[in-house]
Amino acid sequence: MKLAFATLFLVSLVLSSSIHAMAGDLSPQPAPSSCDDKCAVRCQRSGWKDRCLKYCGICCQKCHCVPSGPYVNKSECPCYRDLKNPKGKDKCP
């Protein structure tokens, strides 16, 4: 009886962890072209456009949002606003 209970417990544990892992994979990821379009608008007036586009794309993939314009306050996307580099400065342009 103990062996059957232990086996049932292990099987249920494995199934619940795999279901949880699959649910995590279903989180909506923005399409790369979507991020590219949003970052192009965000970085259109940047002096370092290539660098701006690179870091904006990284932030977009992590946060799933980008502030809507070049001078729009970052509070429109709190995750984007709160990402910091190792020196504690803003990571996202």
Side-chain angles (χ1 to χ4, degrees):
M1 185 67 168
K2 288 183 182 181
L3 181 61
F5 179 72
T7 304
L8 181 62
F9 178 73
L10 287 175
V11 168
S12 66
L13 185 63
V14 169
L15 287 175
S16 67
S17 66
S18 65
I19 289 171
H20 180 69
M22 288 183 349
D25 292 342
L26 297 176
S27 62
Q29 295 286 330
S33 62
S34 164
C35 283
D36 292 346
D37 294 342
K38 291 177 183 178
C39 288
V41 171
R42 179 79 181 163
C43 296
Q44 69 187 359
R45 296 187 181 134
S46 173
W48 295 328
K49 194 167 190 170
D50 291 339
R51 187 174 178 186
C52 181
L53 290 171
K54 175 185 174 182
Y55 287 106
C56 180
I58 291 169
C59 295
C60 179
Q61 289 297 320
K62 284 186 179 182
C63 295
H64 313 296
C65 66
V66 173
S68 59
Y71 297 113
V72 174
N73 193 341
K74 290 182 182 179
S75 64
E76 192 176 278
C77 180
C79 171
Y80 189 95
R81 175 194 65 211
D82 296 339
L83 285 178
K84 304 291 182 197
N85 67 17
K87 294 180 181 178
K89 295 185 179 184
D90 288 342
K91 181 173 190 161
C92 306

